[in-house]
Amino acid sequence: MSVRQRAQTPPLKSRRAWKALEAHYQTIRSLHLRQLFDDDPKRGERFSAEGAGWYLDYSKNRITGDTIHLLIQLAEECALREWIEAMFNGEKINATEQRAALHTALRTPNEKQIIVDGKDAVSEVHEVLEQMEIFARNVRSG
């Protein structure tokens, strides 16, 4: 999908999944967390994730299994996977500035490449990171 096609996608709040989330919110907005935990004893396990040394507990938010399902529907409706892939491929997904969103290059190993406009963004980013490291070392050492 080109930048132009992406720019022509419907606004978030006009999407069917967004409207379903708004309606869902109206049904759960008055639920108390105590009640949610009473109704679902495994809530703390179901609404948490662990990986790469991190533990994320989102069970203490006013959400249900339906909320998660609706959020997944919204992500699919917005083609989130395709957008992520486009970002990692260096496509110009920043419609405002008509350029690639290259913060992914910060974490990409130096031996990999992300080619944007015929240039390897990863090597350019790593050159700047090396310069920053030298500068920081010089500042620390006086």
Side-chain angles (χ1 to χ4, degrees):
M1 186 184 300
S2 71
V3 173
R4 187 168 173 225
Q5 289 170 312
R6 286 189 185 106
Q8 294 172 349
T9 59
L12 182 67
K13 290 185 176 184
S14 71
R15 294 173 183 271
R16 191 174 346 149
W18 181 270
K19 292 180 187 303
L21 271 166
E22 286 181 319
H24 172 68
Y25 169 72
Q26 295 305 319
T27 65
I28 68 167
R29 67 188 258 181
S30 62
L31 292 177
H32 194 281
L33 283 177
R34 194 173 301 120
Q35 183 64 47
L36 291 170
F37 275 93
D38 286 346
D39 292 346
D40 183 1
K42 294 194 180 265
R43 180 179 179 81
E45 295 170 32
R46 288 189 338 107
F47 296 119
S48 64
E50 190 170 358
W54 286 77
Y55 178 74
L56 173 65
D57 178 0
Y58 53 99
S59 66
K60 293 165 187 75
N61 288 276
R62 192 175 292 123
I63 61 171
T64 66
D66 289 339
T67 312
I68 301 299
H69 177 74
L70 289 168
L71 287 168
I72 291 169
Q73 278 184 328
L74 181 62
E76 289 170 353
E77 199 172 299
C78 292
L80 181 61
R81 286 185 197 276
E82 290 85 354
W83 280 94
I84 291 170
E85 187 176 319
M87 180 179 65
F88 277 97
N89 288 333
E91 292 181 36
K92 296 179 181 182
I93 63 168
N94 181 331
T96 306
E97 298 176 16
Q98 295 298 307
R99 66 184 190 91
L102 292 174
H103 46 278
T104 56
L106 286 168
R107 291 171 184 84
T108 302
N110 203 13
E111 61 274 1
K112 301 249 179 169
Q113 292 186 329
I114 298 175
I115 305 298
V116 178
D117 295 331
K119 296 179 182 175
D120 177 21
V122 175
S123 63
E124 289 181 1
V125 165
H126 279 273
E127 285 176 26
V128 173
L129 289 173
E130 287 173 28
Q131 292 171 357
M132 290 170 59
E133 184 180 346
I134 292 167
F135 175 77
R137 204 173 321 128
N138 287 340
V139 168
R140 289 184 198 113
S141 67

